[in-house]
Amino acid sequence: MKQTLREAFDIKIKQKNINILSDYEIFQDKKLLDKFRTEIVESLIDNDMPSNISLNEWVNEKIDEAIEGYDLSNLERSHLFNLIDNEINGYGPITELLNSDNVTEIMVNSPNEVYIEIDGVISRDDSVSFINDEHIIRTVQRLIGPVGRTIDSNNPMVDSRLLDGSRINAVIPPLSTKGPVVTIRKFRESMSNIDELIRIGTLTPYMARFLDAAVRGKCNMIICGGTGSGKTTLLNILSGFIGDNERIITIEDAAELKLNQSHVISLETRNTNYGNDNEITIRDLVINSLRMRPDRIVVGEVRGKEAFDMLQAMNTGHDGSLTTMHANGPIDALNRLETMVLMGGIEIPIKAIREYIFSAIDLIVNIERMSDGRRKVTSISEIEGYENGEIKLKEIFAFNQFGLTETGEVDGEFTLYEGIPRVYKKIKARGIEDIDDIFFPEKTKKITEEKVKKITKKETEEKTVKTKVIADKGKYDGIK
């Protein structure tokens, strides 16, 4: 039997116990760390930087001045430098997370408890931490300050957008019992077109082409799904299919939609966080938008009394309106819509509400965050009819899950159901004919075959004519 040298000489290897410290554990004395931070930042603000040194050198000088007389390890000093550097050049400890394209969500539960989402999977990030609760609040104030929002004991909750389009929600005491809680949902530039959704398997090319045609064909559409399922991302992408010659009005709590059309009016709600009581709600903006001569109305999310006004807009000539809604599926979305209309205090029977919904809504698109973290459009349904006081739904496309693979990924397939959708006529009436091959494959195949025959016949005739012309010129003299 062959032996390794280690076995032959009976060499024992000592196993080292490596204790990996989290970011929060590197600098144990948080009061001293906060003292250093305050002194250094104030010194940097109060003094002008010399012209003969770089910013990093100047920061290091101020750090040396502050820690003089203290015995700090190299790890502690590096931690202090990174803390100050992020304070000056970024947004505190979460600067790198905000700049990372892979991180889609940042959740701060406490100074030493930070979670992130990457590819739909949530995990704890021990490389990021804050000094204390005040440090978290200062970071939030710096993030929301440029967009005119504030957070303090009088306004302990904020829901706002950031300059890059990301969305931030923060709750501080007394509303939060364990300290400041921050959630940042990042805006991803890479998720700004339908091709990217096809690439990652959110939907199929047929589904994408159908939704494209439905938007151009001015179908009224609701996108539903759970929290973090990708509703706003999908809404943003579908809104991109609207023609550049249309006047679009977007209405949101926090402006997240990024439309590239030239004629876009963006409206944003206002709450009491601005220091006054003149709250402007989604409903107020929807009502006002009807006086702004819109071709399309895109509402970021309906969640209350504004549902009736949205339906009214869809029923009064504003075809092609789009919105999102929290719901677990198409049927649940319709039930919630009924409830929200009733929340408006309008005394009308359920039958009338359902008839109103039937005449207003064309399509309901459901998107889900699957167990493996991936997002998928699990259903594209249309409101097919209204019988015996009930709205009838018919699925056009669906994703059917079989189970999970050995690697834990969702196993399933997308399905196109037989039959011609009711909305096909509406789309066709707008002059859109590029989805015929989806619902009439045999007809398209026949047309294609006839087209090929015509092309082949034409090419043969052209070759014959060409040969005759060449023969007339004597090029084939002597050739049998």
Side-chain angles (χ1 to χ4, degrees), residues 243-255:
D244 197 53
N245 60 335
E246 297 186 63
R247 178 174 168 88
I248 309 165
I249 295 180
T250 67
I251 300 169
E252 301 171 87
D253 276 327

Side-chain angles (χ1 to χ4, degrees), residues 149 157-161 167-170 253-254 271 273:
R149 306 300 286 267
M157 182 172 65
V158 66
D159 189 68
S160 176
R161 60 179 171 83
R167 185 166 183 168
I168 181 171
N169 179 277
D253 276 327
N271 55 33
N273 202 36

Side-chain angles (χ1 to χ4, degrees), residues 2-11:
K2 289 184 178 180
Q3 284 185 313
T4 64
L5 289 173
R6 191 178 294 157
E7 291 169 340
F9 290 96
D10 194 26
I11 297 172

Side-chain angles (χ1 to χ4, degrees), residues 184-319:
I184 299 174
R185 184 167 297 165
K186 290 176 60 183
F187 172 75
R188 297 182 65 183
E189 291 284 353
S190 61
M191 288 295 178
S192 58
N193 62 75
I194 199 75
D195 294 331
E196 182 64 19
L197 295 187
I198 295 171
R199 186 188 68 79
I200 63 175
T202 301
L203 73 175
T204 66
Y206 268 11
M207 295 164 76
R209 286 174 53 205
F210 175 76
L211 291 175
D212 178 7
V215 173
R216 288 185 288 123
K218 291 200 168 186
C219 294
N220 293 321
M221 201 178 302
I222 291 177
I223 301 167
C224 65
T227 302
S229 59
K231 299 185 298 298
T232 304
T233 299
L234 183 58
L235 176 65
N236 194 71
I237 291 171
L238 295 186
S239 299
F241 296 141
I242 300 173
D244 197 53
N245 60 335
E246 297 186 63
R247 178 174 168 88
I248 309 165
I249 295 180
T250 67
I251 300 169
E252 301 171 87
D253 276 327
E256 295 177 273
L257 297 175
K258 302 285 183 182
L259 302 188
N260 297 318
Q261 290 89 339
S262 57
H263 201 166
V264 179
I265 309 298
S266 181
L267 304 179
E268 192 176 41
T269 60
R270 184 181 74 182
N271 55 33
T272 54
N273 202 36
Y274 281 83
N276 57 53
D277 296 326
N278 298 325
E279 183 181 16
I280 306 296
T281 65
I282 289 279
R283 185 177 195 184
D284 297 327
L285 294 178
V286 171
I287 293 170
N288 186 73
S289 70
L290 300 177
R291 307 185 186 103
M292 298 173 69
R293 202 269 176 215
D295 288 313
R296 306 262 192 161
I297 299 173
V298 180
V299 180
E301 183 183 343
V302 290
R303 59 168 71 92
K305 301 174 183 178
E306 67 274 4
F308 180 75
D309 303 291
M310 184 70 192
L311 291 174
Q312 197 171 23
M314 292 175 172
N315 270 321
T316 53
H318 301 94
D319 289 339

Side-chain angles (χ1 to χ4, degrees), residues 27-76:
F27 207 118
Q28 298 284 343
D29 192 340
K30 300 303 176 186
K31 286 186 178 179
L32 181 61
L33 179 60
D34 196 35
K35 174 179 174 292
F36 285 153
R37 190 210 71 85
T38 304
E39 286 182 11
I40 295 165
V41 170
E42 286 178 355
S43 181
L44 291 170
I45 293 171
D46 294 340
N47 299 285
D48 294 327
M49 186 178 78
S51 58
N52 60 336
I53 63 172
S54 67
L55 178 60
N56 282 352
E57 290 173 329
W58 191 44
V59 170
N60 277 314
E61 278 187 14
K62 295 302 177 184
I63 290 175
D64 289 337
E65 291 174 8
I67 67 175
E68 188 175 354
Y70 293 90
D71 185 21
L72 297 186
S73 67
N74 290 334
L75 203 57
E76 288 174 327

